[in-house]
Amino acid sequence: MELIRDLRRNGLLIAVKALVMAVFAVSLYTFGTFAQSTSGAVNGSLAADRDVDLYGLVDTFLGDTDGFERFRASDRDLRTLTDFVAQLGHNDRLDFLSAFDQPVVIEDFRGDGRFDANAGSGLAERGEYRGEGGERLRDVKSMQMNHEMFAFSRLDVTSGSAPVWTDVDYSSGLVPVVLGSDYRGLYEIGDELRADVYGVRERLRVTGFLSPGSAVFHRGDINHYLDDTIVLPYPADVGRFVQQDRYTGGIVAFAMLNTDIAASTSMTYDDVIGELGAIAARTGFHEYSLQGIPTYLVQLRLVRQIVIENFGLLGAVSAMTGVATIVVCRRINRVLGDHRRRWVRICRTVGRSDRAILRTVGQTWAVEYSIVVVLYAVGCALLPNHHAYPFLGVMAALGVWFSLDAVSRAHRILATETPGRRGR
């Protein structure tokens, strides 16, 4: 009865205080999730040790279709290309970051239009269509890359495992792949997708799934996200693949060549030209050109600075919000204490012990704290991002807050003077 009476009299103040604490707790959780994401970004894709200069490597056959076809028709010329790619991949001073977003055709695809090759590009989506044999086909997003690009981008496989690049052989008919996080629930580890890759029938075996938000630098985009993409490893030995299938192997070799090279910022443009020239002299392949891509370093440093500055700003805002919450809650506690002072004096007058009084008001406090926890949990559930550690961390902080708050309020009650106790 006393609990109901107290809630009726002080319910509005209790609700206001619980709401203020819950809002602050949710804001603290938001800061925690941002801090966790920022830490991962700054230590991952935006890490300072990735300050490199990128150069675009392209072949010189652009617009020269006849020259391109003559080159691909020559076993000797193709061998110079594959030797050049192989030696570039083993160079100690340059990182050969080969990646190409050639779509693959999947038979009986389980996904929907968001995985379509043109989804999000502004181009018309082809959607599902029928093959010559009546099979259901869809062109889906895919990113082919070598191991250096996978490692440079610090792609993280959260379940399963990354492909073993040394075992990748397109001529075997079975290629290991990693799927973006949006594929979870559609395919499982070990599933095989029937696909057409560069015109060759392949079975793509799922070995793992990327963590949400995985991205690579591609065509000037510092964060080309792979959540809806099939990551297809390039063959470890493209030269052997060319010997087995000159037509398709030649396409793959040129796709691997037209990519990016990462060099330490201590290397000059002439140093990079010199390294490539030495490889060209050893292999006999000279049909390439080099283009600088300064936007990578500029974007990297700019985005990293923005993230760090926003982290500090959000931390300052959270600190000020915390101070305001403490001030408001202390003020409400003082008003609630004034409301209960007369009741405490009456209880003491009729002989109730301080322990019994605290037990009674403690029930109201328990209701108040429970409301805070419920509002906090509901608020976090409504947010788009969910992280366990920040959630549990704020819960622990609330527990400490409740303890200190209860001790402070109990002290105020015990300090309430009663006519029979004054001066004692």
Side-chain angles (χ1 to χ4, degrees), residues 148-159:
E148 289 78 8
M149 185 61 170
F150 194 93
F152 178 83
S153 303
R154 300 185 180 179
L155 298 180
D156 180 35
V157 178
T158 55
S159 62

Side-chain angles (χ1 to χ4, degrees), residues 178-192:
V178 172
L179 304 182
S181 60
D182 288 351
Y183 275 90
R184 287 184 178 276
L186 298 176
Y187 293 95
E188 303 292 337
I189 295 174
D191 285 352
E192 293 184 2

Side-chain angles (χ1 to χ4, degrees), residues 95-132:
D95 288 327
F96 182 42
L97 309 178
S98 185
F100 192 68
D101 58 349
Q102 174 69 29
V104 296
V105 182
I106 303 296
E107 183 178 337
D108 294 327
F109 185 64
R110 301 176 188 173
D112 51 31
R114 60 182 162 156
F115 301 96
D116 194 274
N118 290 335
S121 66
L123 302 176
E125 297 180 16
R126 184 175 186 181
E128 189 175 279
Y129 58 96
R130 295 287 178 175
E132 294 181 356

Side-chain angles (χ1 to χ4, degrees), residues 57-385:
L57 187 65
V58 296
D59 65 72
T60 58
F61 292 111
L62 182 63
D64 184 7
T65 305
D66 293 338
F68 179 68
E69 293 300 330
R70 283 195 301 271
F71 188 96
R72 288 179 53 202
S74 168
D75 290 336
R76 177 184 175 279
D77 289 343
L78 281 178
R79 187 165 54 252
T80 65
L81 168 62
T82 56
D83 288 347
F84 183 89
V85 169
Q87 291 198 25
L88 183 56
H90 292 90
N91 188 278
D92 294 332
R93 301 188 67 191
L94 302 175
D95 288 327
F96 182 42
L97 309 178
S98 185
F100 192 68
D101 58 349
Q102 174 69 29
V104 296
V105 182
I106 303 296
E107 183 178 337
D108 294 327
F109 185 64
R110 301 176 188 173
D112 51 31
R114 60 182 162 156
F115 301 96
D116 194 274
N118 290 335
S121 66
L123 302 176
E125 297 180 16
R126 184 175 186 181
E128 189 175 279
Y129 58 96
R130 295 287 178 175
E132 294 181 356
E135 63 274 17
R136 296 188 302 111
L137 304 176
R138 184 185 288 271
D139 301 343
V140 302
K141 297 175 183 177
S142 175
M143 181 70 73
Q144 302 85 53
M145 66 178 68
N146 62 0
H147 181 263
E148 289 78 8
M149 185 61 170
F150 194 93
F152 178 83
S153 303
R154 300 185 180 179
L155 298 180
D156 180 35
V157 178
T158 55
S159 62
S161 60
V164 179
W165 261 262
T166 55
D167 296 339
V168 176
D169 181 7
Y170 282 17
S171 61
S172 69
L174 180 63
V175 180
V177 296
V178 172
L179 304 182
S181 60
D182 288 351
Y183 275 90
R184 287 184 178 276
L186 298 176
Y187 293 95
E188 303 292 337
I189 295 174
D191 285 352
E192 293 184 2
L193 292 76
R194 295 188 298 274
D196 183 301
V197 181
Y198 290 105
V200 177
R201 298 285 293 177
E202 301 278 6
R203 288 178 295 129
L204 309 182
R205 177 172 293 170
V206 180
T207 65
F209 293 89
L210 294 175
S211 60
S214 296
V216 297
F217 177 82
H218 185 63
R219 294 183 178 177
D221 183 4
I222 195 170
N223 279 321
H224 182 91
Y225 289 99
L226 304 175
D227 293 334
D228 53 3
T229 301
I230 297 175
V231 175
L232 185 70
Y234 273 133
D237 188 351
V238 68
R240 184 158 64 93
F241 183 41
V242 169
Q243 293 176 0
Q244 296 167 339
D245 185 343
R246 186 174 67 183
Y247 179 81
T248 306
I251 295 176
V252 173
F254 271 104
M256 294 181 68
L257 174 70
N258 288 270
T259 184
D260 298 325
I261 296 173
S264 168
T265 52
S266 63
M267 293 184 66
T268 65
Y269 186 83
D270 289 340
D271 292 334
V272 176
I273 288 291
E275 285 291 324
L276 293 176
I279 297 174
R282 291 193 298 269
T283 62
F285 181 77
H286 299 275
E287 289 76 13
Y288 68 88
S289 178
L290 196 63
Q291 301 171 339
I293 312 179
T295 53
Y296 173 77
L297 190 56
V298 173
Q299 290 181 30
L300 177 74
R301 290 172 176 168
L302 178 60
V303 172
R304 186 170 62 229
Q305 185 63 30
I306 291 174
V307 168
I308 294 174
E309 287 178 355
N310 285 342
F311 177 77
L313 176 61
L314 188 55
V317 171
S318 296
M320 290 187 291
T321 304
V323 172
T325 300
I326 292 174
V327 171
V328 171
C329 289
R330 284 179 63 87
R331 178 58 183 168
I332 293 177
N333 282 349
R334 183 173 291 108
V335 175
L336 289 173
D338 293 340
H339 287 183
R340 295 188 178 114
R341 184 176 292 113
R342 182 173 177 273
W343 175 80
V344 171
R345 287 172 178 169
I346 293 174
C347 289
R348 284 176 174 168
T349 301
V350 298
R352 292 187 65 175
S353 65
D354 287 342
R355 178 173 296 181
I357 294 172
L358 292 177
R359 188 163 50 247
T360 300
V361 296
Q363 295 175 3
T364 305
W365 300 345
V367 171
E368 174 188 312
Y369 300 151
S370 298
I371 294 174
V372 174
V373 172
V374 170
L375 290 177
Y376 166 65
V378 171
C380 293
L382 295 176
L383 294 176
N385 297 321

